[in-house]
């Protein structure tokens, strides 16, 4: 069983979270979002998942094996580096954009 934390439940985040929660090979331990509205959204749909606005909780969490990063592009590098420094596996969500 892989224990996963997710950062961001804005645009693509809810889709990733839904798929992670229904995957029998993993469990979502923590979701982080700075928006109180998005935190409430996660709490309503997934009451067993811990929700916080403090990303540092993930870095300190020894149970989380991996981190899914679904945040604005400008934050990807910084969060990915923090995750790697904390010994976490990472998946960085990058949506396809039509230009």
């Amino acid at each position: 069983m892989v224990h996963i934390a997710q950062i961001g439940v804005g645009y693509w985040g809810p889709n990733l979270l839904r798929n992670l929660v229904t995957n029998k090979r993993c469990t979502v331990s923590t979701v982080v979002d700075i928006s109180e509205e998005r935190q409430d959204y996660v709490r309503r749909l997934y009451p067993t998942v811990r929700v916080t606005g403090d990303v540092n909780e993930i870095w300190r969490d020894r149970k989380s094996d991996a981190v899914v990063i679904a945040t604005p592009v400008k934050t990807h590098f910084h969060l990915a580096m923090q995750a790697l420094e904390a010994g976490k596996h990472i998946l960085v969500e990058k949506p396809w954009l039509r230009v």
Side-chain angles (χ1 to χ4, degrees), residues 69-80:
I69 300 170
T71 59
V73 173
K74 65 183 179 181
T75 65
H76 286 177
F77 178 79
H78 180 69
L79 291 171

Side-chain angles (χ1 to χ4, degrees), residues 3 7 26 28 30 40 48 58 60 70 79 83 87 97 99:
H3 294 268
I7 305 170
C26 69
V28 178
T30 305
D40 290 342
T48 61
I58 292 175
R60 293 187 298 260
L79 291 171
L97 297 174
V99 282

Side-chain angles (χ1 to χ4, degrees), residues 19-86:
N19 285 290
L20 291 169
V21 167
T22 59
N23 187 321
K24 294 179 182 174
R25 294 184 177 184
C26 69
T27 184
V28 178
S29 57
T30 305
V31 171
V32 175
D33 201 288
I34 59 173
S35 165
E36 292 278 337
E37 179 183 326
R38 301 314 293 166
Q39 289 177 29
D40 290 342
Y41 166 83
V42 174
R43 286 185 186 106
R44 278 194 313 275
L45 290 178
Y46 310 105
T48 61
V49 174
R50 184 170 52 123
V51 181
T52 181
D54 182 7
V55 73
N56 292 311
E57 289 188 30
I58 292 175
W59 313 145
R60 293 187 298 260
D61 182 7
R62 293 178 187 235
K63 291 181 185 176
S64 293
D65 304 304
V67 178
V68 172
I69 300 170
T71 59
V73 173
K74 65 183 179 181
T75 65
H76 286 177
F77 178 79
H78 180 69
L79 291 171
M81 290 306 295
Q82 285 183 311
L84 291 172
E85 289 169 359

